[in-house]
Amino acid sequence: MTRSGAFCPRCGDPIESDPGERPDHPEARDPDSVLCDACYFEEFDLVDAPDRIEVRVCSQCGAVHRGNRWVDVGAEDYTDVAVDVTSEALGVHVEATDVSWQVAPEQVDRNTIRMHATFTGVVRETAVTEEVVVPVKIARETCQRCGRIAGGSFASVVQVRAVDRMPTDEEEERAEAIAREIVAEMEATGDREAFVTDVGSVDGGLNIKVSTTKIGQKIAQRLVSEFGGSFSDSERLITEDEDGEEVYRVTYAVRLPPFSPGEVIDPDDGEGPVLVRSVQGNLKGTRLTTGAAYEASFEDGDAPDARRLGDREDGVETTLVAIEDEHAIQVLDPETYETKSIPRPNYLDADVDSVPVLKSRAGLHVLPSGGDEGDDE
């Protein structure tokens, strides 16, 4: 006679104890708990595993589709992804306690990873072990982001131009670098809508097409902050989306100042040429006649009315013949080799044998050597 007087409804054998008395087998959780151990374990599955798992992967950027969105995982291969997806797909019997598991991935081919999982647990005070093998298929496709990039989609364009000149190669290279830096910053926050669609040279400058108006505005603001100048924006209706909402494309027109650092200009104020040091805010530079600091008035806007005489890179080395006094020196003209008396700026090193000079319509002038830009006072 059993202690509970209960019998297994399947085989009729007596049950040693009432299932409801076992803390790990409450009948409310498992209807099969009324069975004896033999019948219970006969059809018991510790693990509920799918026949196959499919992982959607973007063949372009490597992102993985999770739920209803694409996620950048930064994986060189998808073994770790397969492990994560398998662990989410496997279910362990509700009656099992002290469950542990380990998995051994087997790379079958480029698109198949066979997951060998071993589970252990305790059921009805009995240690149970079960092994399952789940094939994980890598389905390669194109995510929405890469599809938009491939299709040339863009929401704004940044037009990089300069006043009365072409942007320099350095300015254009820096503009593209700024665009990619901003996109990288936004990508780092998980924004998958951030990308550069295209960067192309056009008559007058550079066009940068980007995925959102927010990125376009950030690029324009950072360009003006770094190079000076200004920008304006205009929008154009291009289509309607599936909800009937109007979709606009925004153009950010960046206008860099007429002069750039390193250029030599003549403000035509009678005090001689200026080597431009900065164009942020109002133009600042160094007088080549004296070495004194120069700063344009704010009434001049981005820059004063001035003639462009050349560039610092146009300078050539010539012989320093003599120092006449604190205001003048004698050098050899690099073209005629005649000795000429020219202004002596305060940044001149009197102990050198040669100096860099720029010859222009304004005459012959000594350029600063290296990082010496003269007085800043």
Side-chain angles (χ1 to χ4, degrees), residues 48-56 78-79 81-87 89-90 103-117 131-139:
D48 179 22
D51 295 331
R52 163 178 163 162
I53 297 175
E54 183 177 271
V55 178
R56 296 168 59 190
Y78 295 101
T79 302
V81 175
V83 171
D84 291 341
V85 185
T86 301
S87 65
L90 296 178
V103 62
E106 175 192 358
Q107 189 80 43
V108 178
D109 55 40
R110 180 171 178 265
N111 295 320
T112 306
I113 303 173
R114 188 176 289 136
M115 309 299 293
H116 298 266
E131 296 182 3
V132 294
V133 178
V134 181
V136 178
K137 297 292 183 180
I138 306 298

Side-chain angles (χ1 to χ4, degrees), residues 1-9 12-19 34:
M1 185 174 185
T2 65
R3 288 183 297 165
S4 63
F7 294 87
C8 175
D13 287 346
I15 297 176
E16 290 299 323
S17 61
D18 182 51
V34 296

Side-chain angles (χ1 to χ4, degrees), residues 22 41 46 55 62 66 70 73 100 132 155 165 175 219 240 251 292 298 322 325 350 377:
R22 297 175 182 156
F41 284 114
L46 177 63
V55 178
R66 294 274 182 86
W70 290 90
V73 296
S100 63
V132 294
R165 65 180 177 90
I219 294 171
E240 291 185 354
T251 297
F298 282 97
D325 54 38
E377 299 300 327

Side-chain angles (χ1 to χ4, degrees), residues 181-262:
E181 287 171 6
I182 290 174
V183 166
E185 291 167 4
M186 299 181 72
E187 286 179 330
T189 65
D191 186 352
R192 298 199 81 252
E193 296 303 311
F195 57 84
V196 176
T197 302
D198 181 64
V199 179
S201 295
V202 296
D203 290 341
L206 191 72
N207 282 357
I208 305 174
K209 297 177 181 179
V210 291
S211 57
T212 69
T213 57
K214 182 179 180 180
I215 297 174
Q217 184 180 43
K218 284 189 173 185
I219 294 171
Q221 290 173 336
R222 196 169 297 183
L223 281 170
V224 171
S225 174
E226 185 165 322
F227 291 113
S230 62
F231 77 89
S232 60
D233 61 80
S234 60
E235 62 181 19
R236 179 168 61 92
L237 178 65
I238 57 171
T239 187
E240 291 185 354
D241 61 20
E242 57 273 13
D243 298 324
E245 297 292 332
E246 295 180 336
V247 178
Y248 290 86
R249 182 170 291 159
V250 180
T251 297
Y252 295 94
V254 177
R255 293 289 182 267
L256 302 180
F259 306 113
S260 59

Side-chain angles (χ1 to χ4, degrees), residues 96-157:
T97 59
D98 297 330
V99 177
S100 63
W101 74 296
Q102 57 184 4
V103 62
E106 175 192 358
Q107 189 80 43
V108 178
D109 55 40
R110 180 171 178 265
N111 295 320
T112 306
I113 303 173
R114 188 176 289 136
M115 309 299 293
H116 298 266
T118 302
F119 283 79
T120 61
V122 177
V123 178
R124 291 194 174 189
E125 302 179 358
T126 302
V128 180
T129 300
E130 187 171 328
E131 296 182 3
V132 294
V133 178
V134 181
V136 178
K137 297 292 183 180
I138 306 298
R140 300 180 187 274
E141 54 188 83
T142 300
C143 70
Q144 294 173 337
R145 179 178 186 269
C146 291
R148 290 180 60 199
I149 295 174
S153 173
F154 66 99
S156 66
V157 55

Side-chain angles (χ1 to χ4, degrees), residues 37 95 164 222 294 297 309:
D37 287 350
E95 295 302 319
D164 297 331
R222 196 169 297 183
Y294 169 85
S297 65
L309 301 179

